[in-house]
Amino acid sequence: MTKYNFSSRVPLTNDNPFGEILTVASKPSIVSFAGGLPAPELFPVAEIQAAANRVFDEAGQTVLQYSLAQGNLQLRQLISQYMQTRGLNDAPDDLLITTGSQQGLDLIAEMMVNPGDVVISEKPTYLSALDVFKTYGAETVGVDMDADGMKMDELEATLKRHPNTKLVYVVPNFQNPTGNSMSLARRQRLVALAEQYDFLIIEDDPYGAIRYAGDPIAPIKSLDSNGRVLYTGTFSKILAPGLRLGWISAASELITKLTLLKQFEDVHSDNLTQAIIAQYMQDNDMQKHIDHITSNYRDRGETMHAAIEKYFPAGTELTHPEGGMFLWVKLPGNPDIDQLFAECIKNNVAFVPGAPFFPDNPETNTMRMNFSNRSVAEIESGIKKMGAVISSLIYAK
């Protein structure tokens, strides 16, 4: 049998425990709070279909042809207009269309990370970002966070221990997995530290538009005057993830390099989908749609929060986000999370264990809970089942 000489970037084993969890949790009989999935019943299917029909009628041959690596100009112009409502004055030329924001993270890592470079992230953080950074040989280092985001004093101490830090990665709005948001004061301090210690900031913002309580906070990129912040956005959470389109906003010099790398990687993102989204944005009030999903997610998030407080054992800690799609739960004591997951599956309910979200020193009594993909009734019944299973395991000891 052939022995393949894989590159050092390929994992040594085929172990994929997180993927296995999501596979088990995706069975139709299971009420799953595991995947970070938007609600499919809220997708604007009719409007996107109408936009697609118009694109084919008016520009079918054009949109089926090759296009520019940087992306559809009309779409970049419309994203620029949309981002002005979020507090960013992004010029269309300073935007790169990507195949989801996940490709944006990959391109940034490819551009900036050499083996042995340090990438600092919140602890816990989005696990697929950690996978990307590790693929390019980065040493990932975590900094603790609280309800106001990454702790800046601890970040500075970490920077002093790791002077070769290239990037600091943050999800400042309704973070995955905790749902917490970084305060304005900490955003300002982060930008100041980037100047002092000479690193770039990745501001990953998939959830920022889905705010249902509190006041908007200025994007980190809006506080940056020296091109140190790379902002990644996506249509996955505000329209539909199957469209697989996102964008990077960054300084012109960085966009030029990223565009070259993207052209090497896939020539350009799907030209047809870019045209359809542009047509959708031109013909519809996208903010009205975002307001609609936000209202639904607010009800689901509040239901889950109240149900956990009601049904989970005393001593359970949980976040109370002002937006987004997730709650973060810390159970009392040190329960066997793997056993808990297995017992929950037997009772047709699922969650994601928290350990994979830590770049180092994982807290094994944690779990991420997604509320966007289930109805209020399913959330109430599912959390009640989980609470009974958790209590039986904790109090049986």
Side-chain angles (χ1 to χ4, degrees):
M1 187 173 180
T2 302
K3 183 177 176 61
Y4 298 106
N5 188 21
F6 293 115
S7 80
S8 60
R9 292 190 298 275
V10 177
L12 295 176
T13 73
N14 293 327
D15 294 342
N16 184 11
F18 187 74
E20 292 169 5
I21 287 169
L22 293 182
T23 298
V24 172
S26 66
K27 294 180 180 178
S29 61
I30 292 176
V31 176
S32 177
F33 305 126
L37 304 178
E41 70 273 16
L42 301 180
F43 294 159
V45 175
E47 292 84 354
I48 291 176
Q49 182 178 17
N53 289 339
R54 186 171 177 184
V55 165
F56 276 115
D57 288 343
E58 298 180 3
Q61 293 181 348
T62 301
V63 299
L64 295 176
Q65 186 57 277
Y66 285 112
S67 187
L68 299 174
Q70 189 170 354
N72 181 301
L73 176 58
Q74 182 190 18
L75 179 58
R76 286 187 281 123
Q77 290 170 334
L78 289 164
I79 293 172
S80 175
Q81 294 169 20
Y82 164 67
M83 287 309 301
Q84 288 177 20
T85 69
R86 300 283 318 285
L88 282 179
N89 292 315
D90 297 324
D93 285 348
D94 294 333
L95 297 173
L96 169 66
I97 303 300
T98 58
T99 304
S101 59
Q102 186 70 25
Q103 186 187 47
L105 298 178
D106 184 85
L107 290 170
I108 293 168
E110 183 181 3
M111 176 176 67
M112 297 305 305
V113 176
N114 292 315
D117 286 341
V118 170
V119 176
I120 296 174
S121 74
E122 297 151 322
K123 185 169 68 174
T125 192
Y126 174 49
L127 61 89
S128 292
L130 294 176
D131 291 339
V132 167
F133 301 139
K134 291 174 182 177
T135 294
Y136 287 97
E139 176 188 355
T140 57
V141 178
V143 170
D144 287 330
M145 59 185 302
D146 58 22
D148 290 323
M150 181 184 279
K151 297 178 179 180
M152 290 298 124
D153 288 346
E154 186 174 325
L155 171 60
E156 183 163 17
T158 304
L159 289 165
K160 289 177 179 177
R161 292 195 302 270
H162 298 280
N164 61 330
T165 297
K166 273 281 186 74
L167 299 168
V168 172
Y169 169 78
V170 293
V171 186
N173 296 313
F174 320 125
Q175 194 234 20
N176 182 358
T178 67
N180 289 330
S181 295
M182 185 181 291
S183 68
L184 177 59
R186 291 192 185 179
R187 296 175 193 223
Q188 292 168 332
R189 178 87 184 279
L190 177 58
V191 172
L193 289 173
E195 290 290 335
Q196 182 178 351
Y197 291 93
D198 190 26
F199 60 84
L200 299 184
I201 301 165
I202 304 176
E203 180 179 15
D204 193 10
D205 191 28
Y207 315 102
I210 309 172
R211 173 177 286 277
Y212 42 76
D215 297 322
I217 306 173
I220 298 169
K221 190 173 184 296
S222 71
L223 308 172
D224 169 39
S225 58
N226 287 319
R228 291 193 175 273
V229 180
L230 299 98
Y231 177 100
T232 64
T234 181
F235 290 103
S236 291
K237 306 304 187 290
I238 58 175
L239 286 183
L243 296 168
R244 303 310 308 133
L245 279 188
W247 66 92
I248 302 172
S249 170
S252 297
E253 182 178 354
L254 296 176
I255 290 294
T256 298
K257 296 295 186 185
L258 289 164
T259 301
L260 283 172
L261 292 174
K262 178 170 174 59
Q263 186 165 307
F264 301 156
E265 189 169 294
D266 68 358
V267 183
H268 58 76
S269 293
D270 186 280
N271 196 28
L272 172 60
T273 304
Q274 291 186 67
I276 291 171
I277 293 181
Q279 193 68 57
Y280 169 86
M281 294 177 73
Q282 181 176 297
D283 294 346
N284 297 274
D285 184 346
M286 189 170 73
Q287 187 57 52
K288 183 178 179 181
H289 169 70
I290 294 172
D291 292 343
H292 177 57
I293 62 174
T294 298
S295 176
N296 278 270
Y297 291 175
R298 177 187 60 237
D299 294 343
R300 299 175 191 199
E302 293 297 331
T303 297
M304 178 174 280
H305 190 277
I308 290 173
E309 289 192 321
K310 181 178 180 181
Y311 296 118
F312 278 32
T316 297
E317 300 176 22
L318 70 158
T319 56
H320 197 176
E322 295 182 331
M325 299 165 54
F326 304 107
L327 297 180
W328 183 248
V329 178
K330 183 180 291 188
L331 297 174
N334 190 29
D336 185 331
I337 288 289
D338 292 337
Q339 181 186 4
L340 176 58
F341 178 82
E343 290 298 319
C344 282
I345 291 296
K346 290 179 183 177
N347 285 270
N348 293 320
V349 65
F351 63 91
V352 172
F357 296 94
F358 288 83
D360 48 45
N361 302 314
E363 296 178 8
T364 57
N365 62 335
T366 56
M367 59 177 70
R368 188 192 74 177
M369 303 286 286
N370 168 252
F371 53 78
S372 58
N373 191 235
R374 292 294 168 180
S375 69
V376 165
E378 288 174 317
I379 290 169
E380 179 74 22
S381 64
I383 295 300
K384 185 176 182 179
K385 286 182 181 179
M386 280 190 66
V389 173
I390 293 168
S391 295
S392 68
L393 291 177
I394 290 178
Y395 295 133
K397 295 183 178 180

